[in-house]
Amino acid sequence: MSLRLGDAAPNFKAVTTEGEIDFYEYLGNSWGILFSHPADYTPVCTTELGKTALLKNEFEKRNVKVLAVSVDGIEKHHGWKKDINETQNCSVEFPIIADEDRTVANLYGMIHPNASETFTVRSLFVIGPDKKVKLTLTYPASTGRNFTEVLRVIDSLQLTANHSVATPADWKHGERVIVVPAVSTEDAIKKFPKGVEVVKPYLRYTPQPNLD
């Protein structure tokens, strides 16, 4: 069965380009991104890992640790990493898991047989500090992921986990947010001192609450 939002993210031990890891120990109290790649030395994957490396500071600001998964072996990973660094002008410092026996791929449902019986699709999981699955994204092998969207979603997840708000369509960090229906307008006015704009009884906006 595929993993659903709110499910516990399966723990695992794996060999990676940064040594052997225990997934839960690696994450610690951080948020995590686990994302799969169909194969080493493939063009779209090369750009994706390069982009992730270039966003290192953005992930660190958000207390997010990243791990990539590919079903190729560790020696192949090390060679590919050199190519990524060279062609994408970056330094890949996050672990790339060598999942030759497809343990991680199967735990996370990363192989979709109707797409390919042997290679993983472009699955991405955002995992909270509580080790629960907060978001899943699945792209076909032919389409590279949008990492600006991944960062946007993490901003939303972290904001909404700590405040009684939701984020509207196309929301970006710094923009106004929506008061969740569970909070009455009367309580919202007390809870959000920056102000509450009532458009409809069920549609109420307030400035992003975790900004000065």
Side-chain angles (χ1 to χ4, degrees), residues 14-22 26 49 53 56 65-68 73-75 77-78 81-82 85 91-98:
V15 174
T16 82
T17 50
E18 302 299 315
E20 189 167 336
I21 64 161
D22 175 284
Y26 174 77
L49 267 69
K56 176 187 175 185
K65 292 184 177 178
V66 177
L67 296 94
I74 194 65
E75 292 307 317
H77 281 3
H78 282 300
K81 193 167 115 173
K82 292 177 184 175
N85 290 341
S91 177
V92 174
E93 297 174 4
F94 54 85
I96 306 173
I97 296 168

Side-chain angles (χ1 to χ4, degrees), residues 12 32-36 67 69 97 104 108 110 123-125 127:
F12 57 83
I33 289 177
L34 179 68
F35 64 130
S36 61
L67 296 94
V69 183
I97 296 168
V104 178
Y108 282 80
M110 292 171 168
S123 298
L124 183 146
F125 298 85
I127 296 154

Side-chain angles (χ1 to χ4, degrees), residues 22-165:
D22 175 284
F23 184 47
Y24 278 15
E25 288 181 4
Y26 174 77
L27 290 182
N29 294 319
S30 300
W31 289 70
I33 289 177
L34 179 68
F35 64 130
S36 61
H37 299 272
D40 293 4
Y41 295 107
T42 51
V44 178
C45 299
T46 298
T47 64
E48 287 194 326
L49 267 69
K51 183 65 173 180
T52 304
L54 292 170
L55 290 171
K56 176 187 175 185
N57 291 340
E58 294 299 323
F59 288 119
E60 287 180 349
K61 276 196 312 193
R62 293 163 173 82
N63 190 31
V64 175
K65 292 184 177 178
V66 177
L67 296 94
V69 183
S70 174
V71 296
D72 288 315
I74 194 65
E75 292 307 317
K76 205 170 178 183
H77 281 3
H78 282 300
W80 182 36
K81 193 167 115 173
K82 292 177 184 175
D83 278 8
I84 297 167
N85 290 341
E86 176 192 339
T87 63
Q88 306 304 304
N89 298 309
C90 67
S91 177
V92 174
E93 297 174 4
F94 54 85
I96 306 173
I97 296 168
D99 193 34
E100 288 184 281
D101 61 3
R102 292 160 175 73
T103 296
V104 178
N106 288 325
L107 278 174
Y108 282 80
M110 292 171 168
I111 294 175
H112 294 201
N114 289 331
S116 169
E117 293 188 359
T118 55
F119 295 118
T120 57
V121 292
R122 296 189 193 285
S123 298
L124 183 146
F125 298 85
V126 175
I127 296 154
D130 59 359
K131 308 301 185 289
K132 298 288 179 66
V133 175
K134 305 299 182 184
L135 173 116
T136 64
L137 288 170
T138 301
Y139 287 64
S142 56
T143 303
R145 282 164 280 215
N146 183 332
F147 285 87
T148 301
E149 169 64 3
V150 172
L151 290 172
R152 189 192 77 89
V153 168
I154 290 168
D155 285 340
S156 175
L157 289 169
Q158 293 182 343
L159 172 64
T160 58
N162 296 310
H163 300 275
S164 301
V165 297

